[in-house]
Coordinates of all heavy atoms in Angstrom, one line a residue:
R1 N 100.8 79.0 -41.7 CA 99.6 79.0 -42.5 C 99.3 77.5 -42.8 O 100.1 76.9 -43.5 CB 99.8 79.8 -43.8 CG 100.0 81.3 -43.6 CD 100.1 82.1 -44.8 NE 100.2 83.5 -44.6 CZ 100.3 84.4 -45.5 NH1 100.3 84.0 -46.8 NH2 100.4 85.7 -45.2
P2 N 98.2 77.0 -42.3 CA 97.9 75.6 -42.5 C 97.7 75.2 -43.9 O 97.2 76.0 -44.7 CB 96.6 75.4 -41.7 CG 96.5 76.6 -40.8 CD 97.2 77.7 -41.5
G3 N 98.1 74.0 -44.2 CA 97.9 73.4 -45.6 C 96.6 72.7 -45.7 O 95.7 72.8 -44.8
A4 N 96.5 72.0 -46.8 CA 95.2 71.4 -47.1 C 94.8 70.2 -46.2 O 93.6 69.8 -46.2 CB 95.2 70.9 -48.6
V5 N 95.8 69.7 -45.5 CA 95.4 68.5 -44.6 C 94.7 68.9 -43.3 O 94.2 68.1 -42.6 CB 96.7 67.7 -44.2 CG1 97.3 67.1 -45.4 CG2 97.7 68.6 -43.5
F6 N 94.6 70.2 -43.1 CA 93.9 70.7 -41.9 C 92.4 70.8 -42.2 O 91.8 71.9 -42.3 CB 94.5 72.0 -41.4 CG 95.8 71.9 -40.7 CD1 97.0 71.9 -41.5 CD2 95.9 71.8 -39.4 CE1 98.2 71.7 -40.9 CE2 97.1 71.7 -38.7 CZ 98.3 71.6 -39.5
A7 N 91.8 69.6 -42.3 CA 90.4 69.5 -42.6 C 89.9 68.2 -42.1 O 90.7 67.3 -41.8 CB 90.1 69.7 -44.1
N8 N 88.6 68.0 -42.0 CA 88.1 66.7 -41.5 C 88.2 65.6 -42.6 O 88.6 64.5 -42.3 CB 86.6 66.8 -41.1 CG 86.5 67.7 -39.8 OD1 85.9 68.7 -39.9 ND2 87.1 67.2 -38.7
L9 N 87.9 66.0 -43.8 CA 88.0 65.1 -45.0 C 88.9 65.7 -46.0 O 88.6 66.9 -46.5 CB 86.6 64.8 -45.6 CG 85.6 64.1 -44.7 CD1 84.3 63.9 -45.4 CD2 86.2 62.7 -44.3
V10 N 89.9 65.0 -46.4 CA 90.9 65.5 -47.4 C 90.8 64.6 -48.6 O 91.0 63.4 -48.5 CB 92.3 65.5 -46.9 CG1 93.3 65.9 -47.9 CG2 92.5 66.3 -45.6
V11 N 90.4 65.2 -49.7 CA 90.2 64.4 -51.0 C 91.5 64.7 -51.8 O 91.7 65.8 -52.3 CB 89.0 64.9 -51.8 CG1 88.8 64.1 -53.1 CG2 87.7 64.7 -50.9
G12 N 92.3 63.6 -52.0 CA 93.5 63.7 -52.8 C 93.2 63.0 -54.2 O 93.2 61.8 -54.3
D13 N 93.1 63.8 -55.2 CA 92.8 63.3 -56.6 C 94.1 63.0 -57.3 O 95.0 63.8 -57.4 CB 92.0 64.4 -57.3 CG 91.3 63.8 -58.5 OD1 91.1 62.6 -58.5 OD2 90.9 64.5 -59.4
E14 N 94.2 61.8 -57.9 CA 95.3 61.3 -58.6 C 96.6 61.4 -57.8 O 97.6 62.1 -58.2 CB 95.5 62.1 -59.9 CG 94.3 62.0 -60.9 CD 94.3 60.6 -61.6 OE1 95.2 59.8 -61.4 OE2 93.3 60.3 -62.2
I15 N 96.6 60.8 -56.6 CA 97.7 60.9 -55.7 C 99.0 60.4 -56.2 O 100.1 60.9 -55.9 CB 97.3 60.1 -54.4 CG1 98.4 60.4 -53.3 CG2 97.2 58.6 -54.6 CD1 98.0 59.8 -51.9
N16 N 99.0 59.5 -57.2 CA 100.2 59.0 -57.7 C 100.9 59.9 -58.8 O 101.9 59.5 -59.4 CB 100.0 57.5 -58.2 CG 99.0 57.5 -59.3 OD1 98.1 58.3 -59.4 ND2 99.1 56.5 -60.2
R17 N 100.3 61.0 -59.0 CA 100.9 62.0 -60.0 C 101.9 62.9 -59.2 O 102.6 63.7 -59.9 CB 99.8 62.8 -60.7 CG 99.0 61.9 -61.7 CD 98.3 62.8 -62.7 NE 97.6 61.9 -63.6 CZ 98.2 61.4 -64.7 NH1 99.5 61.6 -64.9 NH2 97.5 60.6 -65.5
A18 N 101.9 62.9 -57.9 CA 102.8 63.8 -57.2 C 104.1 63.0 -57.0 O 104.2 61.8 -57.0 CB 102.2 64.2 -55.9
S19 N 105.2 63.7 -56.7 CA 106.5 63.1 -56.5 C 106.5 62.4 -55.2 O 105.7 62.7 -54.3 CB 107.6 64.2 -56.5 OG 107.4 65.1 -55.4
P20 N 107.4 61.4 -55.0 CA 107.5 60.8 -53.7 C 107.8 61.7 -52.5 O 107.3 61.5 -51.4 CB 108.7 59.8 -53.9 CG 108.7 59.6 -55.4 CD 108.3 60.8 -56.0
K21 N 108.5 62.8 -52.8 CA 108.7 63.8 -51.7 C 107.4 64.4 -51.2 O 107.2 64.6 -50.0 CB 109.6 64.9 -52.2 CG 110.0 66.0 -51.2 CD 110.9 67.0 -51.8 CE 111.3 68.1 -50.8 NZ 112.2 69.1 -51.4
T22 N 106.5 64.7 -52.2 CA 105.2 65.3 -51.8 C 104.3 64.2 -51.2 O 103.6 64.5 -50.2 CB 104.5 65.9 -53.0 OG1 105.4 66.9 -53.5 CG2 103.2 66.6 -52.6
Q23 N 104.3 63.0 -51.7 CA 103.5 61.9 -51.1 C 103.9 61.7 -49.7 O 103.0 61.4 -48.8 CB 103.7 60.7 -51.9 CG 103.1 60.7 -53.3 CD 103.4 59.4 -54.1 OE1 103.8 58.4 -53.5 NE2 103.2 59.4 -55.4
S24 N 105.2 61.8 -49.3 CA 105.6 61.6 -48.0 C 105.1 62.6 -47.0 O 105.1 62.4 -45.8 CB 107.2 61.6 -47.9 OG 107.7 62.8 -48.2
A25 N 104.6 63.7 -47.5 CA 104.0 64.7 -46.6 C 102.8 64.2 -45.9 O 102.3 64.8 -44.9 CB 103.7 66.0 -47.4
L26 N 102.2 63.2 -46.4 CA 100.9 62.6 -45.9 C 101.2 61.5 -44.8 O 100.3 61.1 -44.1 CB 100.1 62.0 -47.0 CG 99.4 63.0 -47.9 CD1 98.7 62.2 -49.1 CD2 98.3 63.8 -47.2
L27 N 102.4 61.1 -44.7 CA 102.7 59.9 -43.9 C 102.4 60.2 -42.4 O 101.8 59.4 -41.7 CB 104.2 59.5 -44.0 CG 104.6 59.0 -45.4 CD1 106.1 58.6 -45.4 CD2 103.8 57.8 -45.8
E28 N 102.9 61.4 -41.9 CA 102.7 61.7 -40.5 C 101.2 61.9 -40.1 O 100.7 61.4 -39.1 CB 103.5 62.9 -40.1 CG 103.4 63.2 -38.6 CD 104.1 64.5 -38.2 OE1 104.6 65.2 -39.1 OE2 104.3 64.7 -37.0
C29 N 100.5 62.7 -41.0 CA 99.1 63.0 -40.7 C 98.2 61.8 -40.8 O 97.3 61.7 -40.0 CB 98.7 64.2 -41.6 SG 98.5 63.8 -43.3
M30 N 98.5 60.9 -41.7 CA 97.6 59.7 -41.8 C 97.8 58.8 -40.7 O 96.8 58.1 -40.3 CB 97.9 59.0 -43.2 CG 97.5 59.8 -44.4 SD 98.0 59.0 -45.9 CE 96.9 57.6 -45.9
E31 N 98.9 58.7 -40.1 CA 99.2 57.7 -39.0 C 99.0 58.3 -37.6 O 98.4 57.7 -36.8 CB 100.6 57.1 -39.1 CG 101.0 56.2 -38.0 CD 100.1 54.9 -38.0 OE1 99.5 54.6 -39.0 OE2 100.0 54.3 -36.9
E32 N 99.5 59.5 -37.4 CA 99.5 60.1 -36.1 C 98.5 61.2 -35.9 O 98.5 61.8 -34.8 CB 101.0 60.6 -35.8 CG 102.0 59.5 -35.9 CD 103.4 60.0 -35.8 OE1 103.7 60.8 -34.8 OE2 104.3 59.8 -36.6
R33 N 97.8 61.6 -36.9 CA 96.8 62.7 -36.8 C 97.4 64.0 -36.3 O 96.9 64.7 -35.5 CB 95.7 62.3 -35.8 CG 94.4 61.7 -36.5 CD 94.6 60.4 -37.1 NE 93.4 59.8 -37.6 CZ 93.3 58.6 -38.1 NH1 94.3 57.9 -38.3 NH2 92.1 58.2 -38.5
Q34 N 98.6 64.3 -36.9 CA 99.3 65.5 -36.5 C 100.3 65.9 -37.7 O 100.6 65.1 -38.5 CB 100.1 65.3 -35.2 CG 101.3 64.3 -35.4 CD 102.0 64.2 -34.1 OE1 101.5 64.3 -33.0 NE2 103.3 63.8 -34.2
V35 N 100.7 67.1 -37.7 CA 101.6 67.6 -38.7 C 102.7 68.4 -38.0 O 102.4 69.2 -37.1 CB 100.9 68.6 -39.7 CG1 101.9 69.3 -40.6 CG2 99.9 67.8 -40.5
T36 N 103.9 68.1 -38.3 CA 105.1 68.8 -37.8 C 105.7 69.7 -38.8 O 106.2 69.2 -39.9 CB 106.1 67.8 -37.2 OG1 105.5 67.0 -36.2 CG2 107.3 68.6 -36.5
V37 N 105.8 71.0 -38.6 CA 106.4 72.0 -39.5 C 107.3 72.9 -38.7 O 106.9 73.4 -37.7 CB 105.3 72.8 -40.2 CG1 106.0 73.9 -41.1 CG2 104.4 72.0 -41.0
D38 N 108.6 72.9 -39.1 CA 109.6 73.8 -38.5 C 109.7 73.4 -37.0 O 109.9 74.3 -36.1 CB 109.3 75.2 -38.6 CG 109.4 75.7 -40.1 OD1 110.1 75.0 -40.8 OD2 108.7 76.7 -40.5
G39 N 109.6 72.1 -36.6 CA 109.8 71.7 -35.3 C 108.6 71.9 -34.4 O 108.6 71.5 -33.2
V40 N 107.5 72.4 -34.9 CA 106.3 72.6 -34.1 C 105.2 71.6 -34.6 O 105.0 71.4 -35.8 CB 105.7 74.0 -34.3 CG1 104.5 74.2 -33.4 CG2 106.8 75.0 -33.8
T41 N 104.6 70.9 -33.6 CA 103.6 69.9 -34.0 C 102.2 70.5 -33.8 O 101.9 71.1 -32.8 CB 103.7 68.7 -33.1 OG1 105.0 68.1 -33.3 CG2 102.7 67.6 -33.4
Y42 N 101.3 70.2 -34.8 CA 100.0 70.7 -34.8 C 99.0 69.5 -34.9 O 99.2 68.7 -35.8 CB 99.7 71.6 -36.0 CG 100.6 72.8 -36.1 CD1 101.8 72.7 -36.8 CD2 100.3 74.0 -35.4 CE1 102.7 73.8 -36.8 CE2 101.2 75.1 -35.5 CZ 102.4 75.0 -36.2 OH 103.2 76.1 -36.3
Q43 N 98.1 69.4 -34.0 CA 97.2 68.3 -34.0 C 96.0 68.5 -35.0 O 95.6 69.6 -35.2 CB 96.6 68.1 -32.6 CG 97.6 67.8 -31.5 CD 98.2 66.4 -31.7 OE1 97.5 65.5 -32.2 NE2 99.5 66.3 -31.3

């Protein structure tokens, strides 16, 4: 079940209120334009 990053434009309000663990969820998608969940990569 895709999360919120599966969109053309993702608006993250008050990004620094989330924990570093949650912030790190954006690292792969921002740089590589992909998301890896349970060993499967989704473009």
Side-chain angles (χ1 to χ4, degrees):
R1 293 187 179 177
V5 296
F6 285 85
N8 293 117
L9 293 179
V10 179
V11 179
D13 199 20
E14 298 286 352
I15 188 174
N16 58 336
R17 291 197 176 278
S19 66
K21 181 179 180 180
T22 303
Q23 290 179 16
S24 65
L26 290 171
L27 295 179
E28 182 183 11
C29 65
M30 291 178 68
E31 176 64 19
E32 302 173 51
R33 263 68 174 183
Q34 67 181 28
V35 171
T36 303
V37 178
D38 295 333
V40 181
T41 299
Y42 304 90
Q43 297 294 327

